[in-house]
Amino acid sequence: MLSYLQTLFSEPLAFFDQAIFRVLAVLIGLCCHEWGHAFVAYRCGDDTAKRAGRLTLNPLAHLDPLGALLMFFAGFGWAKPVPVNPWNFRGDRTRADLKVSLAGIAVNMILFVGFTYLSVLFSAFMWRADVVAEVGLSTVVSYRYNAVWAVIGGTAAQEFGDLIAGSWAVPFVRLFAYTALVNLNLAVFNLIPLPPLDGYHVVNDLVFKGRFQLSQNAFRIGMLIVLVLSAQGILGRIISAVVYPVQGLLLAPIRMIWG
């Protein structure tokens, strides 16, 4: 969090340039995540979210004011949790709660895969054809030029200007790659078994058959713990340890096809 604020004061133009792509990526990830919860809850018989206007991809329906501000200035944030009433579920309530809890994570993983391949596809139009022909697209994207991070960070034009043929594709690759990374981070983050994260519900439903029913105060304390761990960078290090190997697995087929 402090690194984001330092950039704001030291390089304000770079900060706002990065913030635009960061906010767009996080908005896509968070809104689709919450929509996934609402959609599966509705399919399981609970229309609470639909009646609250949350069965939508409209960001205004999901944004939390404080979470949105932190998203812009601190690099992380949150959306309003989707209201769910498990007593409305049809059939096995524990199984339905598990489906609803996993729905948001599943949506983030689908978006991660989709946007990863979109970023690679548009990369084919961004780099010079002779460079791609010489070393392979996956090498350009992932290894030899460390291009993904340069594109996400907005420094691709300065670092690889002579290798870029289609400058029009750069912002698309940047948004797609950033959105893919954000969605994978959201999926891993929400699997952490702390209330109010989805991972708590998953563990409670799978291991304890839904026996634990925490109070709202417990959820607030859990949220405070999550915020403190996030601000300290502890959760970030845990998530990174999972994210990079998963990215490597997903890029393996790309290397086989284009490498």
Side-chain angles (χ1 to χ4, degrees), residues 16 29 65 80 110 150 156 170 198 202 210:
F16 283 102
K80 292 184 294 186
I110 291 169
V170 174
D198 298 326
V202 171

Side-chain angles (χ1 to χ4, degrees), residues 160-185:
F160 310 108
D162 58 332
L163 302 178
I164 294 175
S167 57
W168 64 268
V170 174
F172 292 99
V173 175
R174 186 179 181 188
L175 178 60
F176 295 155
Y178 211 146
T179 304
L181 183 63
V182 164
N183 274 280
L184 180 56
N185 275 271

Side-chain angles (χ1 to χ4, degrees), residues 19-60:
I20 292 171
F21 289 90
R22 179 172 67 248
V23 170
L24 284 174
V26 175
L27 275 178
I28 292 170
L30 286 179
C31 292
C32 291
H33 179 97
E34 298 303 333
W35 172 86
H37 287 314
F39 177 76
V40 174
Y42 181 70
R43 293 297 298 269
C44 289
D46 178 31
D47 65 347
T48 306
K50 182 180 181 181
R51 288 187 285 105
R54 301 295 300 280
L55 190 55
T56 177
L57 292 173
N58 182 355
L60 296 178

Side-chain angles (χ1 to χ4, degrees), residues 135-160:
V135 300
L137 180 59
S138 67
T139 304
V140 175
V141 170
S142 305
Y143 294 102
R144 184 174 179 182
Y145 300 114
N146 196 25
V148 168
W149 294 110
V151 171
I152 289 176
T155 61
Q158 296 94 314
E159 295 186 38
F160 310 108

Side-chain angles (χ1 to χ4, degrees), residues 37-38 41-42 46-49 81-89 96-97 100:
H37 287 314
Y42 181 70
D46 178 31
D47 65 347
T48 306
V82 165
V84 175
N85 185 354
W87 294 102
N88 291 335
F89 291 149
D97 184 73
V100 173

